[in-house]
Amino acid sequence: GEWNKALSLLKEMRLAGHEPNVISYSAAMSACAKGGEWNKALELLKEMKILGLNVDVVCYNAAIGACGGAKDSEMALSLLEQMRKEKVFPNVVTFNAAINACDKAQEWNKILLLLDDMKRHSIRPDIVSYNFAIEACEKLKQGHRALNLLQDMRRMGLAPEASTISTTLIALTNMNDLKPILQLWTEMMNLRLDPSQECVSRLLQL
């Protein structure tokens, strides 16, 4: 796989007397993360620190992304904390990678805390961030919170996808409150967005 080639390249560079730099390491870590070799990606991060290389946001993003493959939300949040201590500023990619790790670990409350954390640090959440957060609300049966997040998205100029509105509607079915459901359903039809099968199924049960 690509990750194997990336690790071989690092080895060849050393044998040729060239010490790999931050770019080489971040590329190798990204390849490991994409290949599901999360432990190797984290080993490379440790190696960079031992060598005294300046670990930047791209490297941390790759390492936190690898935690998603491992379903390790604790490690993802620990790396986020390390970044702050080292004055490496996280961006939306960093937070989405941490949120993804929490999603894989089914840590729904942590997803909502991370979204709040982004806003506190003036990092603008994107559609990916909001989709994860609205799904977390659905899992936690917090329909009105999901609806508030949907409204937040719009205030920020983000256009919700069909899946975003479908998940919000599913979350609202847990609240037994028909008014927002009817309003949102009407809006979805006006936008000509197709609801998910699960959404239709849940609405038919009301």
Side-chain angles (χ1 to χ4, degrees), residues 88-151:
V88 179
F89 299 105
N91 56 25
V92 66
V93 177
T94 320
F95 273 96
N96 283 348
I99 284 170
N100 179 52
C102 292
D103 180 72
K104 293 276 169 59
Q106 300 185 359
E107 298 275 4
W108 318 122
N109 277 310
K110 286 179 183 173
I111 291 172
L112 298 175
L113 289 171
L114 282 168
L115 189 76
D116 289 340
D117 205 11
M118 287 176 85
K119 292 174 183 175
R120 261 199 314 277
H121 288 88
S122 302
I123 295 167
R124 182 186 163 92
D126 62 10
I127 286 177
V128 174
S129 325
Y130 275 109
N131 281 350
F132 272 123
I134 288 170
E135 191 181 336
C137 289
E138 188 269 309
K139 300 290 185 191
L140 293 165
K141 302 194 186 308
Q142 295 181 10
H144 290 133
R145 190 169 184 182
L147 188 59
N148 287 338
L149 288 175
L150 187 71
Q151 288 161 350

Side-chain angles (χ1 to χ4, degrees), residues 3-47:
W3 65 270
N4 230 323
K5 287 180 196 168
L7 292 180
S8 296
L9 191 60
L10 284 182
K11 195 175 178 181
E12 283 168 25
M13 284 177 78
R14 288 192 198 98
L15 290 171
H18 303 296
E19 210 41 66
N21 59 18
V22 172
I23 295 167
S24 318
Y25 269 102
S26 62
M29 285 169 67
S30 294
C32 290
K34 283 174 189 166
E37 296 292 326
W38 54 272
N39 54 339
K40 286 186 171 60
L42 296 175
E43 278 169 24
L44 288 172
L45 184 73
K46 284 180 192 169
E47 205 174 289

Side-chain angles (χ1 to χ4, degrees), residues 61-100:
N61 287 353
I64 294 171
C67 295
K71 299 180 183 177
D72 192 343
S73 60
E74 292 302 320
M75 177 60 77
L77 296 175
S78 170
L79 288 170
L80 192 57
E81 195 55 41
Q82 273 182 47
M83 287 180 78
R84 287 178 178 145
K85 284 178 184 168
E86 292 170 18
K87 300 288 188 288
V88 179
F89 299 105
N91 56 25
V92 66
V93 177
T94 320
F95 273 96
N96 283 348
I99 284 170
N100 179 52

